Amino acid sequence: MSFLELAGIQKSFGPVQVVHDFDMTIEKGEFVSFLGPSGCGKTTVLRMIAGFETPSGGTIKINGKNQESLKPNQRNIGMVFQAYALFPNMTVHDNVAFGLKIAGMNKAAVDARVKEMLGLIHLGHLADRFPYQMSGGQQQRVALARALAPKPQVLLLDEPLSALDAKIRVSLREEIRMIQQQLGITTVFVTHDQEEALSISDRIVVMNSGRADQIGTPFDIYNKPATRFVASFVGTLNLIEATVVDPASNRISIGDQAITLREPLGPVKAGDTVSLALRPEAGSIAESAKGDTALTGQVVSSNFLGSVIRTRMKVGDPVISFDMFNAPGLSPPAVGDVVTLRFTASDLLIIRE
Amino acid sequence: MKTQKIGAWIAVLFGASYFIIPLIATFEFSLRMRRGEYSFDAYRSVFSDVQFRESFSYSIVMAILTIVFGILLVVPTAYWVRLRLPQMRPFVEFITLMPLVIPAIVIVFGYLRLYNSSSFIPFTGSARGTDLLLMFSFMTLSLPYMYRSVDTAMRTIDVATLTEAAQSLGASWPTIMFKCIFPNVMSGVLSGAFITFAIVIGEFTMPSLLNRPAFGPYLQLIGANRAYEPPALAIIAFAITWASMALLQLVSRFSKSAPSKP
Ligand SMILES: Nc1ncnc2c1ncn2[C@@H]1O[C@H](COP(=O)(O)OP(=O)(O)OP(=O)(O)O)[C@@H](O)[C@H]1O
Ligand SMILES: [Mg+2]
């Protein structure tokens, strides 16, 4: 049985419905990310789990227990906020001890647990500091320790890294993941940063205007996007409009160049338009490039991005981007060159909303 | 540049002299009780007056009670308005400003009509009841200052997020109030408390019309009947007010270096 169950969750603020039929089950010890653009309802779902908002419909169960009648302070859920939200009047030690004291632990046990938690986040030496005496990254680690100290059933993090600079963001997200695995705590992590979600999650929920568009492993989300939204939101992607030539043999054409797809086209007829997705890293124009499919086009731009060179070429109307790994001695294609892109037909995904 | 500075200083001194010269004159006069030499006789006379001690301690007790109950009223109110009723903030602010607009004498006549001994709530029926009513009226008078300073202090912390953080850690409302919110608005509470103190010590209208033995009416009584004691009392009252102000300054300076939101 799954540990955290969200079944048919709805939420309306006045006449505006911001969460629609949200279903999700999370296993014990799983790390799940809610990924989506601003305003899609990630925070709202998280706050309903924590009990700060009441769902307009649906049920939330933790470990089989319906949470509906429980107030936020009865749910035993750890929460980490974007703005750290450490108590400014308390030292690091007292912040971490806060939940433990409320739970009625004796002083010796509190001190031991605080020490353990501060050790976990490598801030044992700053126990007597006040929040305003610490960097943002340190404060957020303390906030994490504070949330974890009372051994919550579930840990919720709402964009905990958004206020930090790029370097800290990467190191702290790995630290969060390590601690999460070490403690085996069921975790929901909200972010609008796809790289963050892809790199540390067991599963990702891609949210789009209050709905879960796709739930899957980072690998599935990236490689097999279920909807156009997921495909375009996660990673860079070419979305190509193609014309159906012959539905029976899966033949389509992109800018007058015919291609045979692997996937069945489904109920379409000749002359219809279908949307195809192709990742920039799926093809190559190198001499040695492998693949059963080729498209020829004219280069319209070529950008050096460090480890890769991103080239855009025009195949009839559609413009397709592709990446080449940088290598010494490689000469990037020049604007106006005619090049042939090779790739495997199965990398072309049909996007059906 | 330099002449400008000098000009500014002259202006300041000129302005201050309006205030300082009468004060010096008052002080000088208060020292002349003994013929032909300066002495603190007037002060000695004031401090040895039983009525002074009684009225002064009465007012101090009232001030402390007013502060305690004022804090218990204002801090949770300001907190709740910020947390749950942000759209009500202008309205609440307006309400708290009312005592500045309505003269104390009007308020007190209202009280006497509403709470006289033949009314439903006969506060004025007994001395204790009147004391209670007087404390409430002091709370009303200090409300504009108390609310404002607490609300300003509350602006520096993220009330909503701190509350949710505390709730998720299992805290109940009283715990949130007294462990997480109160300590962080202490500077505002203290400055509100000092202003309240000064108001209560000096207030004449309310205790006089409610006929309670407070310091304000005593001051007025002495002023009408004696020559040297009133200036001495004025100086004492000033000293108390200034001490409050200095404390207020100290507190606000202290709170600047005290922990606050990053
Ligand atoms: N208390 C509220 N009252 C009215 N509308 C609200 C309230 N809270 C959120 N909303 C609306 O609900 C929608 C979803 O908000 P939510 O905060 O869940 O978005 P989000 O996905 O967390 O976005 P972000 O990435 O910007 O944090 C938004 O359109 C927002 O305007
Ligand atoms: Mg959000």
Side-chain angles (χ1 to χ4, degrees):
Chain A
M1 193 184 63
S2 51
F3 191 68
L4 173 59
E5 286 179 69
L6 308 176
I9 301 294
Q10 317 259 353
K11 179 68 190 178
S12 303
F13 290 108
V16 191
Q17 188 162 5
V18 296
V19 176
H20 307 260
D21 291 319
F22 193 91
D23 286 303
M24 161 117 229
T25 54
I26 299 175
E27 300 304 319
K28 194 164 172 58
E30 204 178 4
F31 190 114
V32 171
S33 292
F34 289 177
L35 174 65
S38 188
C40 68
K42 309 180 291 286
T43 299
T44 307
V45 174
L46 205 70
R47 289 170 57 82
M48 287 191 281
I49 300 174
F52 298 131
E53 304 280 2
T54 315
S56 316
T59 51
I60 298 171
K61 283 187 189 164
I62 299 177
N63 205 4
K65 189 172 185 331
N66 194 334
Q67 301 289 302
E68 192 176 340
S69 59
L70 296 180
K71 298 207 171 63
N73 60 354
Q74 300 168 324
R75 293 197 181 188
N76 194 17
I77 285 177
M79 182 113 187
V80 175
F81 302 85
Q82 182 178 344
Y84 323 138
L86 294 179
F87 303 121
N89 56 311
M90 299 180 201
T91 60
V92 166
H93 176 282
D94 292 347
N95 263 285
V96 178
F98 187 81
L100 303 172
K101 285 182 189 158
I102 287 171
M105 257 193 207
N106 67 42
K107 190 173 178 318
V110 168
D111 287 346
R113 180 75 178 154
V114 170
K115 201 158 174 228
E116 182 191 343
M117 294 318 295
L118 291 182
L120 199 63
I121 55 163
H122 311 294
L123 286 180
H125 56 294
L126 299 184
D128 295 326
R129 290 257 183 112
F130 282 97
Y132 75 101
Q133 295 168 319
M134 295 194 300
S135 73
Q138 290 170 334
Q139 289 188 53
Q140 197 58 297
R141 273 146 75 196
V142 174
L144 180 67
R146 179 181 68 177
L148 289 171
K151 304 194 172 148
Q153 310 183 75
V154 178
L155 177 66
L156 306 176
L157 305 110
D158 191 356
E159 307 203 20
L161 306 173
S162 297
L164 303 171
D165 68 54
K167 270 231 173 79
I168 307 283
R169 231 168 19 224
V170 173
S171 66
L172 191 49
R173 80 182 183 212
E174 263 136 40
E175 204 172 329
I176 289 175
R177 174 60 159 163
M178 255 167 54
I179 291 172
Q180 183 269 334
Q181 283 177 324
Q182 205 172 326
L183 303 180
I185 184 165
T186 313
T187 303
V188 180
F189 182 96
V190 163
T191 179
H192 58 246
D193 182 336
Q194 40 138 333
E195 191 194 315
E196 224 164 81
L198 290 170
S199 63
I200 57 174
S201 317
D202 290 318
R203 276 193 303 157
I204 296 176
V205 183
V206 182
M207 290 185 62
N208 177 20
S209 30
R211 283 172 224 277
D213 259 30
Q214 187 175 2
I215 301 176
T217 62
F219 192 83
D220 281 348
I221 295 280
Y222 190 86
N223 292 310
K224 297 175 202 153
T227 67
R228 177 193 293 267
F229 174 82
V230 175
S232 59
F233 190 75
V234 181
T236 315
L237 191 83
N238 292 298
L239 269 177
I240 309 163
E241 299 293 312
T243 314
V244 177
V245 177
D246 175 16
S249 62
N250 289 335
R251 272 189 91 67
I252 51 113
S253 75
I254 298 172
D256 294 335
Q257 300 179 40
I259 285 178
T260 305
L261 297 178
R262 291 286 164 77
E263 250 184 292
L265 272 168
V268 290
K269 53 186 189 301
D272 281 359
T273 310
V274 291
S275 296
L276 302 174
L278 183 68
R279 295 279 179 203
E281 64 270 25
S284 171
I285 57 164
E287 302 273 304
S288 57
K290 292 204 189 75
D292 51 16
T293 311
L295 282 172
T296 303
Q298 196 172 33
V299 174
V300 288
S301 73
S302 190
N303 298 101
F304 182 59
L305 303 178
S307 61
V308 297
I309 298 161
R310 175 156 301 171
T311 305
R312 281 149 49 82
M313 71 172 189
K314 213 165 153 54
V315 183
D317 266 345
V319 175
I320 299 174
S321 299
F322 60 91
D323 291 344
M324 283 186 296
F325 280 112
N326 182 26
L330 183 83
S331 59
V335 173
D337 284 1
V338 172
V339 293
T340 299
L341 176 70
R342 288 180 188 287
F343 56 93
T344 310
S346 56
D347 286 338
L348 261 181
L349 300 173
I350 302 166
I351 303 291
R352 320 167 203 269
E353 289 330 284
Chain B
M1 196 60 208
K2 194 139 197 195
T3 50
Q4 248 181 3
K5 231 178 196 168
I6 291 170
W9 271 112
I10 289 173
V12 167
L13 281 180
F14 188 68
S17 63
Y18 263 105
F19 171 71
I20 289 171
I21 290 171
L23 200 65
I24 292 174
T26 309
F27 182 58
E28 199 262 353
F29 187 74
S30 74
L31 299 178
R32 288 208 291 200
M33 196 174 191
R34 204 176 292 173
R35 209 165 282 263
E37 60 172 317
Y38 285 143
S39 72
F40 284 98
D41 280 3
Y43 293 86
R44 215 164 289 136
S45 153
V46 165
F47 284 119
S48 63
D49 184 353
V50 180
Q51 238 190 323
F52 166 78
R53 271 180 279 160
E54 277 176 3
S55 66
F56 197 61
S57 39
Y58 177 86
S59 280
I60 284 184
V61 170
M62 284 309 268
I64 291 168
L65 288 176
T66 306
I67 288 167
V68 170
F69 284 91
I71 289 172
L72 288 180
L73 171 74
V74 168
V75 176
T77 307
Y79 170 66
W80 201 251
V81 168
R82 276 200 173 266
L83 189 67
R84 289 291 143 86
L85 306 165
Q87 70 280 10
M88 292 283 282
R89 237 168 66 90
F91 179 71
V92 174
E93 223 160 73
F94 176 74
I95 297 278
T96 61
L97 279 180
M98 293 306 277
L100 288 185
V101 186
I102 302 174
I105 192 147
V106 175
I107 300 178
V108 83
F109 272 119
Y111 284 165
L112 287 173
R113 276 199 73 94
L114 266 177
Y115 304 122
N116 62 46
S117 45
S118 57
S119 72
F120 288 111
I121 320 164
F123 272 129
T124 54
S126 67
R128 281 287 154 269
T130 316
D131 286 343
L132 202 63
L133 183 61
L134 186 59
M135 191 198 75
F136 287 139
S137 65
F138 285 148
M139 270 168 69
T140 312
L141 286 185
S142 64
L143 202 55
Y145 312 99
M146 197 59 150
Y147 185 83
R148 214 142 286 260
S149 52
V150 168
D151 194 51
T152 307
M154 229 165 249
R155 190 174 307 160
T156 62
I157 57 170
D158 184 348
V159 170
T161 316
L162 286 185
T163 302
E164 288 180 357
Q167 275 181 314
S168 72
L169 292 165
S172 58
W173 286 115
T175 310
I176 297 173
M177 196 70 232
F178 288 102
K179 292 256 169 71
C180 308
I181 302 299
F182 236 97
N184 290 309
V185 296
M186 213 50 204
S187 65
V189 167
L190 284 178
S191 46
F194 289 126
I195 298 176
T196 305
F197 187 81
I199 290 175
V200 172
I201 295 295
E203 174 62 19
F204 168 75
T205 321
M206 299 265 182
S208 165
L209 287 174
L210 290 174
N211 199 22
R212 296 307 300 152
F215 187 60
Y218 171 75
L219 206 63
Q220 196 274 339
L221 184 77
I222 296 293
N225 298 312
R226 305 276 185 84
Y228 297 100
E229 282 88 344
L233 271 174
I235 296 295
I236 292 170
F238 262 115
I240 292 164
T241 313
W242 283 6
S244 297
M245 300 274 253
L247 270 176
L248 203 150
Q249 284 291 321
L250 259 172
V251 165
S252 55
R253 198 162 303 165
F254 164 77
S255 70
K256 249 174 239 155
S257 59
S260 65
K261 226 191 114 187

